[in-house]
Amino acid sequence: MRWFCGAARGFTYRVKDNSNKEVLTFERRFQCCSGCCWCADSDSCAWELEVRAGTERLGSVRQMKSLWKPYMSIILNDGDTFGEFRGPCCVCSCCGCCGDVEFPLFASDSFIIGKVSKQWTGTAREFFTDSDNFSCTFPLDMTVNGKACILAAAFLIDMMFFEQN
C-alpha cells in the first residue's frame, strides 16, 4: 500500500509504554477517495483516524468539509464534538520557512484549548528528508480521551499534509 497509495494508505499506529504494553491504537482504514476537502462530509471521502485504548474506542479525528483551509473535528466516543482544528491556508513544508505550521484546536465556544504544531527544523532537514517534528499543546486538566485524540491528530495531520509519496 505504501508504494501505490503513498500517504493516502491505511495504517495502524500502536503506542506502547515503557514496559512495551500497548496503551493506544490509532487506525485509519484505507479509502479509495480520501483527502479532497470539497467532499469530506461524505463517509467515503473523509480522512478519519480512530483512537482506541485496548478494545475501548475513545474517539476519532475526522476531516470535515472545507472550501479552503484544513478543518478537522475531534469526535469522542459518545458522538459529541470535543473540538475543531482549523489549519492555515498553506500547509506545505516549503511555506513553513518562517516558522512552525500551527493547527489550533477550538472548543465549541471558539476559544483555543490546544494546538498541534509542525515545527520548522531547518532548511536542509526540511527539503532533503521526510522526518518531521510535531508538538501537541493542551491544558493539564483535559480528559485523557481528549489528550489521546489530540495526539492522534498530530499523526493524521502529518499523513495528510507533510508525508511525501
Side-chain angles (χ1 to χ4, degrees):
M1 230 192 267
R2 270 188 193 175
W3 287 3
F4 298 109
C5 302
R9 69 184 181 273
F11 58 85
T12 301
Y13 292 149
R14 290 176 172 76
V15 180
K16 298 181 178 185
D17 64 9
N18 289 338
S19 62
N20 208 27
K21 179 184 174 196
E22 188 173 311
V23 292
L24 290 173
T25 304
F26 306 142
E27 184 177 6
R28 180 187 180 277
R29 290 180 181 86
F30 173 73
Q31 296 168 308
C32 290
C33 170
S34 65
C36 175
C37 60
W38 299 92
C39 63
D41 56 345
S42 166
D43 286 337
S44 64
C45 290
W47 284 73
E48 185 169 12
L49 189 60
E50 185 177 287
V51 181
R52 291 189 316 271
T55 58
E56 179 186 358
R57 186 178 187 277
L58 303 179
S60 64
V61 182
R62 182 186 168 100
Q63 177 190 21
M64 304 305 284
K65 184 175 181 177
S66 171
L67 296 178
W68 187 250
K69 294 182 178 183
Y71 180 60
M72 290 172 276
S73 289
I74 292 178
I75 303 163
L76 295 180
N77 198 28
D78 58 8
D80 289 337
T81 300
F82 174 75
E84 299 168 343
F85 285 100
R86 300 179 195 155
C89 290
C90 181
V91 294
C92 66
S93 296
C94 62
C95 296
C97 297
C98 299
D100 299 347
V101 180
E102 297 185 346
F103 293 79
L105 175 64
F106 291 86
S108 58
D109 51 7
S110 296
F111 288 105
I112 295 177
I113 57 171
K115 160 176 78 169
V116 170
S117 299
K118 183 203 173 283
Q119 298 173 329
W120 177 255
T121 56
T123 305
R125 188 167 173 191
E126 291 290 330
F127 289 109
F128 297 113
T129 72
D130 195 27
S131 63
D132 298 314
N133 289 339
F134 283 83
S135 69
C136 298
T137 307
F138 42 77
L140 289 174
D141 62 346
M142 184 176 282
T143 65
V144 174
N145 293 9
K147 291 176 184 178
C149 287
I150 290 174
L151 181 61
F155 287 98
L156 186 62
I157 288 168
D158 182 36
M159 289 300 285
M160 287 177 71
F161 302 110
F162 300 107
E163 282 299 307
Q164 309 284 324
N165 282 343

